[in-house]
Amino acid sequence: MKAKKVGALLLAAAMAVCTVPVHGMAAEEGTKTPKYIFLFIGDGMSYPQVQTTNYYLNAIADDGDEILNSESKLNMMKFPVAGSAQTYDSTSFCPDSASTATSISTGHKTYSGTINMDEKMETSYETIAEKLKKQLGYKVGILSSVNLNHATPAAFYAHQASRNSYYEIGQELIASDFDYFAGGGLKKTTGADGDKTDLYQLAEEAGYKVIKTQAEAESLTAEDGKAIVIDETLADSDAMSYDMDREEGEWGLSDYVEKGIEVLDNETGFFMMVEGGKIDWACHANDAAATITDTVAMDDAVGKAVEFYKEHPDETLILVTGDHETGGLTIGFAGTDYDTFLTNISNQKISYAKFDSDYVAAYKENKTDFDTVMADITELFGLQAPDGATESSNQADSKDVHPEGTDDKGSLVMTDYEYQKLQAAYEETMSRTGEEEEFGQEEYLLYGSYEPLTVTITHILNNKSGINFSSYAHTGLPVEVFAMGAGQDEFVGYYDNTDIYNKMAALTGVE
């Protein structure tokens, strides 16, 4: 309750500051009105995710001359305008996706877990997507690499006291009359108890073309009308595959953006929200490799918008932001001092989720011995058992002496300490039933609610690369706001995430 009171006071202060009618006044004279708006939201993506990804891309492209260099290899980092947004909500300084996406889509704060409703759960807020469609006749597309009725995409068409009301959110998706939905499958399609009419059936009855194969998606055209496109190869929790797990030829987020541009493009205008949702999931699990590859995947999708912008530079606005940061990702780890060894990350061949489903499940069923498991770990993550000469000590830290880098700490050979941690995690995984709902403090700090073996593997690989996570949840870091195109200069500065909505509303003139 104390946190809620603090949030309420901050909300009141923010409203007082906003007596200057940001969203009510027209854009400055000379600012062009965007006719085509792309809003990319990297769920859980803040500066650490962007910078780690860019540093990694530079590390693997290094020419070997021993002189470190970092070019901007991500599309989003080449945008001409960059701002920053704070992300607190009415509950916490470590907010959730429902409330932060609500702030971005409506300009209002609310409690964590709430979608487009006030703190009393009485008043609904109309979203920027709804306003653009209703007031200006724009076509609207909502895309996500996770479930289409998950919190972030839902915040652009739904109004629910709880983000967990998946069936009701799905009903609002259908009622939105938006033109193009694409990405992960809907959750709870027949309701929480499985006794309701299937959402896909309701969508078809409402005039949507429901597509569940890639071949059908490829042949989709604007003439087909409203469409809900579900990725053919669904993975964990009926979301799209982690990008590092995609098979050759399997569509990624950029393909759905490219198709979305094709079916939404029209003379009146369109609004497209694209969520890189599995960045967040990877960070929750402390999987740096999956975080990096899914950040690249979203940036590839941004690249498709940039291609469109080049054809319509005076009428297009592209925004790239995050809803919050997840995991407390840090570039730097106590065990690597002032060094990083980011190329180590490239040894990971599979996401934590796929390792769980394709390997760990079988280990439990077959009671696989640790030596056999260790062979898979070496093959899939690059980590090697100690060779009898591992370094297990560190020099004392000193504020006066900057230690010189040592290549041996970039080794993927585990120390005895790391190896013992891995063995203990294996034992813990093999003893679990999968039905556990509570964990002791030490156990949770070590593993979160993830498979002990898997999260320990990623922790060790992360740390040997010079990367660390501080949490399995969200943090309160500000997020980046990159802007390109018509009205881009409005997004300079440091502001609240509610002002992302305010600025879009001012530029388009919606009320």
Side-chain angles (χ1 to χ4, degrees):
M1 183 61 75
K2 183 178 179 181
K4 291 183 178 180
K5 287 181 178 178
V6 172
L9 289 172
L10 288 168
L11 174 64
M15 292 175 67
V17 171
C18 288
T19 51
V20 178
V22 178
H23 64 283
M25 60 184 182
E28 290 183 14
E29 189 174 348
T31 300
K32 294 171 181 173
T33 300
K35 192 160 103 173
Y36 309 108
I37 301 173
F38 295 87
L39 174 60
F40 290 88
I41 300 177
D43 198 320
M45 186 184 78
S46 180
Y47 293 100
Q49 286 73 18
V50 174
Q51 198 63 60
T52 301
T53 300
N54 194 64
Y55 280 161
Y56 170 77
L57 294 175
N58 277 276
I60 61 174
D62 185 69
D63 59 9
D65 65 358
E66 298 186 353
I67 298 175
L68 196 64
N69 184 45
S70 179
E71 300 174 352
S72 294
K73 293 186 177 292
L74 296 173
N75 290 301
M76 66 181 91
M77 294 180 76
K78 299 173 184 176
F79 280 24
V81 168
S84 297
Q86 60 178 344
T87 63
Y88 78 93
D89 69 8
S90 302
T91 301
S92 175
F93 293 118
C94 294
D96 94 318
S97 294
S99 59
T100 51
T102 292
S103 292
I104 294 170
S105 69
T106 71
H108 293 279
K109 297 288 185 183
T110 192
Y111 287 143
S112 291
T114 301
I115 296 175
N116 297 332
M117 295 190 74
D118 69 352
E119 292 87 349
K120 294 182 179 179
M121 312 302 167
E122 295 174 352
T123 302
S124 296
Y125 301 130
E126 194 173 17
T127 74
I128 186 69
E130 292 172 315
K131 290 181 178 182
L132 288 171
K133 186 169 186 64
K134 180 180 178 181
Q135 298 178 29
L136 301 184
Y138 281 20
K139 287 189 173 184
V140 176
I142 304 295
L143 294 74
S144 177
S145 59
V146 299
N147 314 94
L148 287 171
N149 54 350
H150 221 260
T152 301
F156 289 83
Y157 61 80
H159 316 80
Q160 295 289 329
S162 172
R163 61 179 288 173
N164 296 323
S165 301
Y166 292 112
Y167 189 80
E168 292 74 15
I169 291 170
Q171 290 178 306
E172 289 200 74
L173 179 153
I174 296 164
S176 72
D177 204 37
F178 288 176
D179 304 273
Y180 177 72
F181 291 92
L186 296 173
K187 291 176 70 70
K188 304 291 183 183
T189 58
T190 56
D193 298 321
D195 58 352
K196 299 186 183 298
T197 305
D198 190 273
L199 288 170
Y200 294 123
Q201 178 184 330
L202 293 176
E204 289 177 336
E205 292 173 358
Y208 277 96
K209 183 169 186 177
V210 177
I211 293 172
K212 294 186 178 181
T213 69
Q214 189 168 308
E216 289 180 285
E218 289 170 353
S219 62
L220 178 68
T221 67
E223 286 67 39
D224 289 313
K226 300 182 300 182
I228 298 174
V229 185
I230 305 300
D231 188 71
E232 181 176 355
T233 313
L234 296 177
D236 50 318
S237 300
D238 284 340
M240 290 173 60
S241 300
Y242 280 99
D243 202 70
M244 68 188 308
D245 297 331
R246 276 199 302 134
E247 300 291 340
E248 185 175 354
E250 181 182 338
W251 267 22
L253 197 58
S254 64
D255 297 294
Y256 290 108
V257 169
E258 186 172 31
K259 177 57 68 172
I261 292 171
E262 179 187 335
V263 300
L264 294 175
D265 191 10
N266 69 97
E267 286 301 315
T268 302
F270 67 73
F271 172 86
M272 184 190 296
M273 192 290 296
V274 183
E275 182 200 22
K278 298 201 82 169
I279 299 170
D280 173 73
W281 291 14
C283 287
H284 274 292
N286 293 181
D287 185 340
T291 299
I292 289 168
T293 51
D294 262 71
T295 300
V296 171
M298 198 190 78
D299 191 68
D300 289 342
V302 171
K304 296 297 182 181
V306 172
E307 291 175 10
F308 181 87
Y309 161 82
K310 290 178 179 177
E311 297 175 2
H312 309 274
D314 296 330
E315 301 174 305
T316 303
L317 172 64
I318 309 173
L319 301 174
V320 182
T321 189
D323 49 357
H324 53 73
E325 197 274 341
T326 300
L329 175 62
T330 303
I331 305 169
F333 173 65
T336 54
D337 296 323
Y338 290 83
D339 285 315
T340 56
F341 305 95
L342 298 183
T343 55
N344 282 345
I345 293 292
S346 64
N347 288 278
Q348 184 172 330
K349 309 302 183 196
I350 190 171
S351 74
Y352 80 94
K354 193 168 180 63
F355 184 67
D356 281 349
S357 62
D358 293 9
Y359 288 84
V360 176
Y363 297 155
K364 291 183 174 184
E365 182 178 353
N366 301 325
K367 296 181 170 44
T368 308
D369 64 87
F370 181 71
D371 288 341
T372 302
V373 170
M374 190 63 231
D376 288 339
I377 292 170
T378 298
E379 179 183 354
L380 298 171
F381 297 89
L383 296 174
Q384 301 169 36
D387 59 6
T390 58
E391 177 62 51
S392 58
S393 63
N394 288 77
Q395 283 185 305
D397 294 323
S398 170
K399 68 181 186 305
D400 302 315
V401 179
H402 183 98
E404 296 182 5
T406 53
D407 290 338
D408 63 326
K409 287 194 178 180
S411 170
L412 287 169
V413 177
M414 286 183 285
T415 64
D416 290 331
Y417 169 75
E418 292 165 336
Y419 191 62
Q420 289 167 15
K421 284 181 66 176
L422 191 61
Q423 285 180 309
Y426 159 81
E427 296 292 346
E428 183 64 31
T429 278
M430 298 300 280
S431 69
R432 286 193 178 183
T433 64
E435 303 298 322
E436 294 82 3
E437 294 184 356
E438 292 186 8
F439 306 97
Q441 182 177 7
E442 182 180 9
E443 190 178 2
Y444 183 79
L445 289 174
L446 284 171
Y447 313 125
S449 55
Y450 294 92
E451 279 292 356
L453 175 64
T454 310
V455 78
T456 301
I457 292 169
T458 57
H459 280 170
I460 294 172
L461 180 59
N462 295 344
N463 294 165
K464 282 187 169 295
S465 306
I467 292 173
N468 195 39
F469 287 88
S470 68
S471 175
Y472 301 105
H474 299 172
T475 72
L477 291 178
V479 294
E480 68 295 324
V481 185
F482 299 121
M484 171 188 281
Q488 64 186 31
D489 292 337
E490 299 298 312
F491 295 88
V492 173
Y494 190 92
Y495 39 84
D496 194 78
N497 58 1
T498 54
D499 283 327
I500 297 175
Y501 163 84
N502 292 335
K503 295 170 188 296
M504 286 191 291
L507 285 167
T508 55
V510 299
E511 298 178 352

